[in-house]
Amino acid sequence: MNAEVCELKELEVAHFEIREVLRCILHTIIFHRALGLIRPKGIDCEHFEITYVQCGDAEVEKKIEEKIDEFINKTEKHPNRKSQICLSFYEIKNKQSTWFSNNKVERLYWEHWYINLHVINPKSHGKSHHNKATTDLGGGALEESTSRHAALESSIREVLFQIIRFVNEKKDHLPSIPIQEGISFPYEITILSSSDSPFGWHTDVLKRMLQTGHPTMIS
Amino acid sequence: MAESSRTEQIITRFYLKALHAILGSRIPHLHGEPSSSSAATHARKRDRWFNLALGDLPPALDRPHHSVMDPMIIDVILSARSAPATAAEVVVERWTAQCESPPISWNHTSDSSSSFLSRRTYKKSVLLLRSLYSFLRLLPAYRVFRMLSSSNQSYNYDLSYRISSFAEPFSRVEERELKLHSFTPVETQFGQLVVSVQYRPTLSDFNIEVSSLLPSMIITDYVGSPAAEPMRVFPSSPYEGGARPMSFSLRGHRTSANPSAHRPHSWTSAPLAHHPMSSSPIPASDATFSPPDVYGNRIPSQRPATHRKGSFSFDEFKLSPPFSPSPTPSPPAHGSSYLQSRLRSETAPVSIPQPLTGKNQVHRSPNLSDPTRSFLPPPSPRSMRMDLSSQNSPLESRSFRKSEGLRIGDIYSNLQLFTAQKSLKDGRDDSGRFSSVLSSGGSPRLGFSRSSSRLSIQDDLDDGDFSYPFAVDDVDTSDSQTRSLDRKEAPESVQASSHKSQDAAVGILVHMLKTAPPLRQDQSYSSRSSRSELNGEIDTSSLFMSRKTSDALEELQSYKEIKDILLSRSGTQLLESVQHRKE
């Protein structure tokens, strides 16, 4: 089964905005994929005028926070890079171990979401800094950051619309809904390293493809 | 076939869930009180549909009322409070859910594939509802909703809704301002289930802000606009913030259904959530969003816990605690914030628990009774008994409602209102109906608490069915009051034309008023005849010793203003009618 892939629009985020942006996007995706009984929780973003919906599962929230922490740590070490977070949903298939995989349990991925973030440092990226005289720096920077903030907010909204559109359009590839409450499908969040090494994320993707156990890939 | 009924159930439930999701994120103070245990279990089960637990729905809405093949159109309306005219309403969103296109003849397929199809329909509906839920929070109207529900402050705008099976398409101008978003259809046995929304991409044109404390003023041009669009909701401005009356502009609607459907909504919807004294949100019974079935019939047995259908069984009404037991000092003492929240809660004043109960019961009766049932003449002895106890609260409520004039909840409480109406009325309608009153007088011109007048106008204009027992009762008793008020005379003929039962009611009322300690601020009133004692304006207020003199004076002032207005507007008519009666 081919996994559906959704590449979300790239977002330019400042370091302090990463957490909120990721929370917003990850929770939204999971909300649309948590097809068990849930009690939705609307959460307001602090930095943006956006309300996103959480599925209300504490476990999920914890896992997401952990991943966000991990991502923030990574990007702190290597700022000003483009990074990807991949949220994948899979099915567990029990299979006998073969030569390429020692696991008895096999994961069959059926959906991948790629969240593209470009972590920028507003100060170094502010165009006005280069163009304006020193005296103008203060006012120019403020304007710049306000407009950047507004642009980011509208981009986040666009990404959320994108998610909703994707969820609506592609419905056939979902496995059957298990009866369990809350999160119905197992998922994982992977942080793909930055694009400084242009092949970086490619190798991750390749690894995943190998794990899916596509017969065609093996040969 | 079992499968088709299952699919039908899925679709019906889908409509309901979608409605719940939409209203829950658009209409402030929507939810009713926690229902009784049996209803709660039932509600919890219902909540599990589509694996999306949205919480309690006002029971009135919690019924699958929608026929599968009829579209469900929900209009979210933003209206300015200050302008009572309908022109101030703007449809900011129109949600449409319908099954469209000819269904594939799945009836011919085997049961197993049909069951597969219905399961698939269900699964896709789950997904659709998820996206709908998220999407609702991304539209600009959501921020407005959050603003309006955020606090007890009252804003200069209201959000309300209207559900219908058919809606007038937007004008070209409006259409241009709206954006369309359509969710991917879900295939069902009956066709494609499509949910779409037309929305305004920006609401920055509306200057929504906290309104200053409502000044004491009389809305002289309070318009119910039933003449304009009988099928539409009432003008929103005088209404409580939040849920508005639902108008059911359905095909084949029955006019008789609408007035009663309107009325309950107009006064009792969720508003109590903000009542300062309310311990719990509006009782299920009070959240009178009575969704009609397709043909506009109000489903009478919507409030199983507390109401019996089609009857005035006051005893069975368990009114919601929010306002009965809470002791409240004289409202004006609380200041305008109280008034404001009261406005929003559209309930009777809480200071008099017992009468309130009575009042509310009576107040509720129109909701409960059959839409088609004519309430005239009222079941008088019984109703009058209740009415007596309810007199107190109405009078009290009037004293602080006097200048806002925004309460539908004043219907039952407003003797003066009916008095005024009666004064406009020809002698034609002896049964206490207002059929000609407002028609002749145009839209209600009463200064305050005109909700009842508006409602009665609505009724009258629709088909004369007046399911307002209060009004009926009060009309005749206050009939004479009006006359004496306006004319400084006591036209006995008015009383004579009333029904016997109403005479008895009047007598009781007179007795009650006579025995009440007087609070005379104006000597001219006291010099009137016994008939004039029925004048609810001044004397009835004396029933409440807890009232302060200043309150009474304020009241008097407002009554005078109202009187002036009435006189100026309908002086001629009154003269004619009184003369006619005397003949």
Side-chain angles (χ1 to χ4, degrees), chain B residues 84-85 218-225 234-239 266 404-408 442-455 457 569:
Chain B
I218 294 170
I219 297 176
T220 56
D221 277 324
Y222 187 93
V223 175
S225 76
F234 290 115
S236 56
S237 68
Y239 284 96
S266 59
E404 284 102 25
L406 304 184
R407 318 285 310 176
I408 301 177
S443 16
R445 300 282 174 257
L446 301 171
F448 62 80
S449 310
R450 299 317 142 227
S451 47
S452 45
S453 66
R454 177 178 52 243
L455 290 172
I457 294 174
R569 286 179 179 266

Side-chain angles (χ1 to χ4, degrees), chain A:
Chain A
M1 166 165 93
N2 284 325
E4 289 284 350
V5 173
C6 181
E7 287 259 4
L8 295 176
K9 186 183 146 173
E10 184 180 271
L11 296 170
E12 277 194 5
V13 293
H15 197 79
F16 68 96
E17 291 163 341
I18 296 176
R19 185 172 290 275
E20 278 222 316
V21 168
L22 280 181
R23 267 188 197 149
C24 182
I25 296 176
L26 287 169
H27 276 288
T28 301
I29 298 173
I30 290 190
F31 170 68
H32 286 105
R33 287 288 175 253
L35 302 183
L37 178 65
I38 59 167
R39 194 167 284 274
K41 224 166 51 168
I43 307 285
D44 300 323
C45 291
E46 278 173 44
H47 298 119
F48 308 101
E49 273 214 353
I50 293 177
T51 304
Y52 63 95
V53 187
Q54 284 187 4
C55 67
D57 189 319
E59 197 60 45
V60 168
E61 209 175 324
K62 192 169 131 211
K63 197 164 170 186
I64 288 182
E65 288 303 307
E66 280 170 16
K67 282 295 171 180
I68 293 179
D69 290 335
E70 201 184 309
F71 181 82
I72 289 178
N73 288 334
K74 270 194 179 172
T75 54
E76 258 171 358
K77 293 175 194 162
H78 312 281
N80 292 334
R81 275 186 181 177
K82 301 196 180 192
S83 312
Q84 265 194 343
I85 294 193
C86 179
L87 172 56
S88 314
F89 294 94
Y90 57 87
E91 258 186 300
I92 293 182
K93 297 270 184 201
N94 288 322
K95 250 196 181 180
Q96 286 176 352
S97 55
T98 61
W99 68 270
F100 64 89
S101 166
N102 289 328
N103 300 329
K104 287 228 164 106
V105 185
E106 191 189 319
R107 291 180 172 187
L108 201 63
Y109 290 92
W110 48 271
E111 198 171 74
H112 299 286
W113 296 81
Y114 291 103
I115 303 167
N116 297 297
L117 293 181
H118 186 186
V119 183
I120 57 170
N121 191 343
K123 291 178 195 157
S124 60
H125 275 250
K127 286 182 185 170
S128 60
H129 288 265
H130 304 309
N131 299 334
K132 289 188 178 179
T134 332
T135 49
D136 268 348
L137 212 58
L142 186 62
E143 246 179 61
E144 171 86 8
S145 91
T146 316
S147 70
R148 189 196 62 80
H149 186 269
L152 176 59
E153 187 174 308
S154 125
S155 296
I156 295 173
R157 245 183 249 275
E158 269 184 55
V159 166
L160 295 180
F161 280 129
Q162 200 183 353
I163 295 172
I164 290 176
R165 230 183 346 241
F166 185 86
V167 162
N168 263 261
E169 284 163 11
K170 309 276 170 85
K171 291 178 183 162
D172 293 324
H173 63 287
L174 261 67
S176 46
I177 302 176
I179 314 291
Q180 77 203 57
E181 297 212 356
I183 294 294
S184 43
F185 305 115
Y187 66 98
E188 74 172 3
I189 304 174
T190 332
I191 298 168
L192 305 179
S193 27
S194 58
S195 65
D196 255 28
S197 51
F199 304 103
W201 71 272
H202 282 300
T203 41
D204 287 332
V205 171
L206 269 171
K207 226 196 299 181
R208 179 158 296 106
M209 279 162 64
L210 286 171
Q211 282 173 359
T212 55
H214 254 282
T216 53
M217 297 301 301
I218 308 308
S219 59

Side-chain angles (χ1 to χ4, degrees), chain B residues 222-224 226 234 263 405 407-408 410-412 414 416-418 420-421 424 434 437-439 442-461 466 468 471:
Chain B
Y222 187 93
V223 175
F234 290 115
R263 205 174 305 103
R407 318 285 310 176
I408 301 177
D410 279 330
I411 296 169
Y412 39 81
N414 212 332
Q416 184 175 8
L417 169 65
F418 297 127
Q421 290 175 337
L424 299 175
F434 295 156
V437 176
L438 303 171
S439 322
S443 16
R445 300 282 174 257
L446 301 171
F448 62 80
S449 310
R450 299 317 142 227
S451 47
S452 45
S453 66
R454 177 178 52 243
L455 290 172
S456 43
I457 294 174
Q458 180 96 1
D459 294 340
D460 295 331
L461 292 176
F466 191 63
Y468 232 136

